[in-house]
Amino acid sequence: MKILYVGPTLPDARERAGDIIVHGPAIQGDVFQAVEEGAAVIGIIDGGFEYTAPVWHKEILYALSAGVTVVGAASMGALRAAECHLFGMIGVGKIFQEYRDGIRVDDSDVAQVHGPEELGWLSLSEPLVNVCATLDALVDRQILSSGEADHLSAVARSIFFKDRTWRSLLEHADLIDENRRSPIAAALQRLAVNQKRADAIELLTVMSQFADIRSIPELEWQFQRTTLWNEMVKQHSVARVTGNLS
């Protein structure tokens, strides 16, 4: 069984997933549950983080220790892959590479506001990783000067992730010549690069290449069942029995 956790980064994931079972963004306990249910390959793209406990590194280690292939990209998956790749988690895509190499360090670079699944995970803000990818593309196409791109990048970083949109970006860009605002706005809308989506699609390709079978792990570390881990397992077991597990 292959399981993928994804939401606003790839709203059409189910149409692209083939034999991969698609769930919404991962929260704490989801990966543990997937392992207990027999998953052989787990992909993480999106994850909850503000109003719920995020997917725990410990449960990823648990999955790896059980021979499960765990792959991450694009959003929460890229963060967890950068943090856990030394333990065997596989990272995919440019965003993962930037976190792994220390080019990016702020979790909020991938954060975005979005609507519910019922509204197609409608995006309501622009994640910084997409802004930066777009600015780089416009410089490469000589639509933006490097100075304009540097200024817009700095402005984008200064805007709280919930408020970051193409409109708010230009509204705060006080060093952009007034004659340049209209063509820049048009270029940002027309040529925007969705790096998160690109990395998510790459993850689907990688997941499809793995056999749907657990491996015999050869690890240089040993999974430790700590007090916190045992408490999480206990709470999870109670939730399953009472039917309160989403």
Side-chain angles (χ1 to χ4, degrees), residues 194-205:
N194 192 332
Q195 189 63 50
K196 290 181 69 174
R197 179 178 175 83
D199 287 5
I201 291 172
E202 184 179 349
L203 180 140
L204 277 179
T205 299

Side-chain angles (χ1 to χ4, degrees), residues 30-39 42 59 62-63 66 68 214:
D30 282 347
V31 169
F32 169 75
Q33 179 183 354
V35 175
E36 295 300 283
E37 292 177 349
I42 296 174
E59 57 189 308
Y62 176 68
V68 177
R214 293 188 183 184

